[in-house]
């Protein structure tokens, strides 16, 4: 990261094109949806989605989207309400510089501020996947799977 501090900013008409231009490393493309799909999901699930640009100086370096207070398994246990990280895309040339860690910490801070006691995340298992990244940030495996993805949880208390 540069000498300026990264920050999260809402996705707006002014930064929309730059946010949509964020591309992960080609070997990771099969692991995470493109930002434009995430923004479409945010539009459809507006009450539960919190999409944010990751910005350094005047440059968009990534995208993160949280999910807020969703029924995790509405048919099985409608009282199991969860929040967490829905999507994280850091531009290929900006990876390994702390932006992902910053985004996770910023989202978990926001969830804490909103009263959440835990943050959940899912990821595609396999080579080049983010499992080591999330476990290194303190997430632990729940033993669950969601849509074929591994589920992790981080206590926020």
């Amino acid at each position: 990261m540069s000498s300026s501090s990264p920050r999260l900013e809402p996705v707006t008409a002014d930064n929309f094109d730059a946010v949509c231009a964020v591309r992960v490393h080609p070997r990771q493309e099969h692991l995470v949806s493109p930002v434009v799909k995430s923004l479409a999901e945010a539009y459809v699930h507006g009450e539960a989605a919190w999409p944010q640009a990751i910005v350094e100086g005047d440059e968009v370096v990534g995208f993160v989207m949280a999910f807020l207070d969703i029924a995790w398994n509405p048919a099985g246990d409608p009282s199991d309400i969860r929040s967490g990280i829905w999507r994280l895309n850091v531009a290929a040339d900006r990876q390994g510089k702390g932006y992902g860690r910053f985004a996770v910490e910023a989202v978990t801070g926001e969830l804490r501020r909103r009263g959440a006691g835990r943050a959940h995340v899912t990821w595609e298992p396999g080579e080049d996947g983010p499992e080591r990244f999330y476990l290194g940030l303190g997430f632990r495996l729940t033993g669950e799977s969601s849509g074929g993805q591994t589920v992790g949880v981080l206590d926020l208390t």
Side-chain angles (χ1 to χ4, degrees):
M1 290 188 285
S2 71
S3 60
S4 64
S5 296
R7 63 192 181 281
L8 296 186
E9 290 185 357
V11 178
T12 66
D14 291 335
N15 66 14
F16 176 80
D17 288 335
V19 172
C20 287
V22 170
R23 299 285 184 272
V24 298
H25 194 280
R27 71 176 182 268
Q28 299 166 328
E29 289 175 345
H30 69 286
L31 299 170
V32 65
S33 294
V35 173
V36 71
K37 180 178 182 194
S38 298
L39 292 173
E41 289 170 330
Y43 176 80
V44 172
H45 302 285
E47 71 288 344
W50 191 63
Q52 299 287 302
I54 305 167
V55 179
E56 175 84 31
D58 293 330
E59 184 181 357
V60 173
V61 298
F63 171 81
V64 65
M65 185 163 72
F67 61 91
L68 307 169
D69 301 328
I70 65 162
W72 188 256
N73 179 6
D77 182 1
S79 67
D80 184 8
I81 305 299
R82 299 184 186 185
S83 297
I85 298 168
W86 189 347
R87 205 65 44 69
L88 176 58
N89 304 58
V90 175
D93 64 340
R94 296 309 192 107
Q95 292 182 11
K97 300 180 189 301
Y99 296 109
R101 172 181 290 276
F102 161 77
V104 170
E105 290 173 354
V107 168
T108 56
E110 177 67 17
L111 295 178
R112 213 179 266 110
R113 188 187 70 72
R114 292 173 181 247
R118 297 179 303 170
H120 287 82
V121 65
T122 62
W123 63 82
E124 289 288 337
E127 192 174 339
D128 293 322
E131 184 167 303
R132 255 185 18 188
F133 169 74
Y134 286 118
L135 295 179
L137 291 176
F139 284 85
R140 66 182 191 289
L141 300 173
T142 66
E144 300 169 289
S145 179
S146 176
Q149 293 189 335
T150 302
V151 180
V153 64
L154 176 69
D155 291 320
L156 299 178
T157 54

